[in-house]
């Protein structure tokens, strides 16, 4: 093929990263910027503002759709939606998102010594984490993390399903995720020096990721009763995935638990040990899709609920991931507030943990009322120079926390247990790890005494490693799955009532107690 003439190419310089990309003139920015940390929370439909970038030099004309979602002042200041823009001339873009720190796992765990190497993968909707293990010693030899490349087509599972249902969508998403994990595995093997055979690969993820990785028709998850077509253990040949792993090991995607509750939660149960607990305990994974498990070694109930992306700082007006420049903590200081910015320097936005803190602080200061409205006359609460909290942000957080609180309430009802009978609450996932427990309690997100709430890190990855080291390739976890019942929440009138009840924020009594 003849080489394209140079005039067909344009340069995109990225600030502050300093990278320069050369792309075909007219390339949609969405095609190239995701790999550099720009997120597309609504899947590129021009609805959420989450993909904003600022044109520092060069010309990117704005579209009528952008006029609907960005203010005149923002457009004049160079802000554009990356999902609506193309590179037609050389440009310099400021991208607000930096590479996020992704939670891996370094806990010690019990294991049965084996031979060779093994790989555990946590396939999250937003992030990927993989570890290479020596199966004889249980030592972690290498770690690789990255963003799920599918996220260019939506930040939550519903927008991912929507894209998968478009012509050619599902095979494209399948190819992207298999390629993304292959890259991580390649990095693991290189880091460990190669040469040794890999015996087993275990992957865990939610039900949508399970379907999109394994090539199972996603359509049944798009409509009521949202039941998966197939949700058991899937075993594939690494060669059939076009992965070149020494030893050509089998790849096991662990089974789901029902509905949208996937093997990441099965792994969380294994990691927390709740399946061996004599006491009633709960596991709560706070993400765009919140999952809750309640139970003990006899029986467990699990449910999932669409919490929306507020905990990840998405769909928040000045929301961003927990990276450099994000306000990650807010605390009351006298009659005002104090805040902390990740990485120091000026605040650029607010991440999920900062949002929960800000609303908790606003409630204490009286800036925000228990019904979620700002105090009289306030339209925006300035948290830091250039970063404000808006009414719509509080609303997004109310929706997210009400979904989790109502799901927890419903599982307690179904179990016929009182909240006080719960002895421990494991908070799984990155947000659960970083959120301030007192603030989470103040807004009614986690309504349990602080001393029983335990941030538990990446339980999905830890559980995947435990499965890698303690189960064989045919183990379908039928004994454990037989003790877990999935409780569907969609269209359950009790859930809907409880959701409405949980929308407000708890009001302290006369002594200031919640
Ligand atoms: S507005 Fe561009 S991804 Fe949502």
């Amino acid at each position: 093929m003849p080489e394209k003439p140079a005039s067909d190419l344009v340069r995109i310089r990225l600030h502050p990263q300093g990278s320069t990309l050369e792309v075909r003139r007219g390339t949609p920015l969405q095609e190239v910027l995701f790999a550099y940390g720009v997120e597309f929370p609504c899947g590129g439909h021009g609805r959420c503002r989450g993909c904003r970038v600022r044109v520092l030099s060069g010309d990117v004309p704005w579209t009528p759709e952008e006029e609907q979602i960005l203010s005149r002042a923002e457009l004049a200041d160079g802000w554009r939606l990356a999902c609506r823009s193309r590179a037609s001339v050389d440009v310099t873009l400021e991208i607000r998102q930096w590479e996020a720190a992704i939670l891996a796992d370094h806990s010690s765990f019990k294991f049965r010594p084996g031979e060779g190497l093994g790989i555990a993968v946590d396939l999250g909707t937003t992030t990927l984490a993989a570890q290479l293990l020596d199966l004889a010693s249980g030592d972690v030899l290498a770690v690789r993390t990255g963003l799920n490349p599918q996220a260019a087509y939506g930040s939550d599972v519903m927008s991912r399903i929507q894209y998968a249902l478009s012509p050619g969508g599902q095979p494209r998403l399948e190819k992207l995720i298999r390629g993304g994990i292959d890259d991580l595995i390649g990095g693991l093997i290189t880091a460990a020096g190669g040469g040794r055979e890999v015996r087993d690969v275990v992957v865990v993820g939610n039900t949508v990721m399970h379907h999109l990785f394994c090539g199972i028709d996603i359509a049944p998850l798009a409509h009521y009763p949202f039941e998966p077509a197939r949700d058991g253990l899937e075993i594939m040949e690494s060669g059939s995935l076009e992965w070149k792993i020494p030893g050509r090991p089998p790849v096991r995607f662990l089974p789901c638990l029902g509905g949208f509750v996937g093997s990441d939660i099965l792994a969380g149960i294994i990691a927390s040990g709740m399946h061996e607990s004599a006491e009633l305990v709960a596991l709560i994974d706070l993400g765009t899709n919140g999952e809750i498990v309640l139970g003990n070694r006899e029986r467990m109930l699990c449910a999932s609920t669409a919490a929306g992306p507020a905990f990840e700082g998405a769909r928040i007006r000045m929301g961003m991931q927990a990276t450099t420049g994000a306000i990650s903590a807010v605390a009351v200081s006298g009659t005002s507030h104090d805040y902390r910015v990740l990485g120091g320097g000026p605040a650029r936005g607010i991440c999920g943990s900062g949002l929960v803190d800000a609303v908790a602080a606003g409630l204490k200061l009286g800036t925000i009322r228990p019904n979620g409205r700002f105090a009289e006359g306030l339209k925006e609460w300035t948290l830091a120079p250039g970063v404000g909290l808006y009414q719509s942000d509080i609303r997004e957080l109310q929706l997210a926390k009400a979904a989790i609180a109502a799901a927890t309430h419903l599982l307690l009802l179904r179990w016929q247990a009182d909240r006080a009978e719960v002895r421990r609450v494991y908070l799984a996932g990155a947000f659960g790890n970083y959120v301030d427990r007192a603030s989470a309690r103040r807004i009614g997100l986690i309504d349990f005494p602080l001393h029983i709430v335990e941030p538990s890190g990446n339980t999905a990855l830890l559980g995947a490693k435990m499965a890698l080291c303690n189960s064989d390739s045919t183990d379908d976890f039928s004994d454990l799955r037989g003790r877990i019942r999935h409780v569907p929440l969609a269209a359950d009138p009790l859930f809907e009532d409880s959701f409405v009840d949980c929308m407000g924020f708890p009001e302290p009594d006369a002594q200031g107690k919640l």
Side-chain angles (χ1 to χ4, degrees), residues 396-461:
E396 283 293 334
L397 185 64
Q398 283 180 283
L399 292 169
K401 73 103 185 175
I404 301 290
T408 311
H409 177 69
L410 201 88
L411 286 194
L412 283 163
L413 262 183
R414 295 277 184 258
W415 183 274
Q416 297 187 322
D418 190 82
R419 201 169 282 275
E421 290 170 52
V422 178
R423 292 286 178 261
R424 189 138 301 273
V425 177
Y426 301 102
L427 284 189
F431 177 71
N433 221 45
Y434 299 124
V435 70
D436 181 88
R437 287 171 296 160
S439 296
R441 183 148 203 243
R442 180 63 191 84
I443 68 163
L445 169 60
I446 306 289
D447 190 12
F448 292 98
L450 297 187
H451 69 275
I452 71 161
V453 179
E454 191 178 303
S456 306
N458 189 339
T459 54
L461 187 58

Side-chain angles (χ1 to χ4, degrees), residues 38-52:
V38 176
E39 295 154 39
F40 296 88
C42 71
H45 292 286
R47 290 195 298 252
C48 71
R49 299 167 51 98
C51 61
R52 274 167 305 158

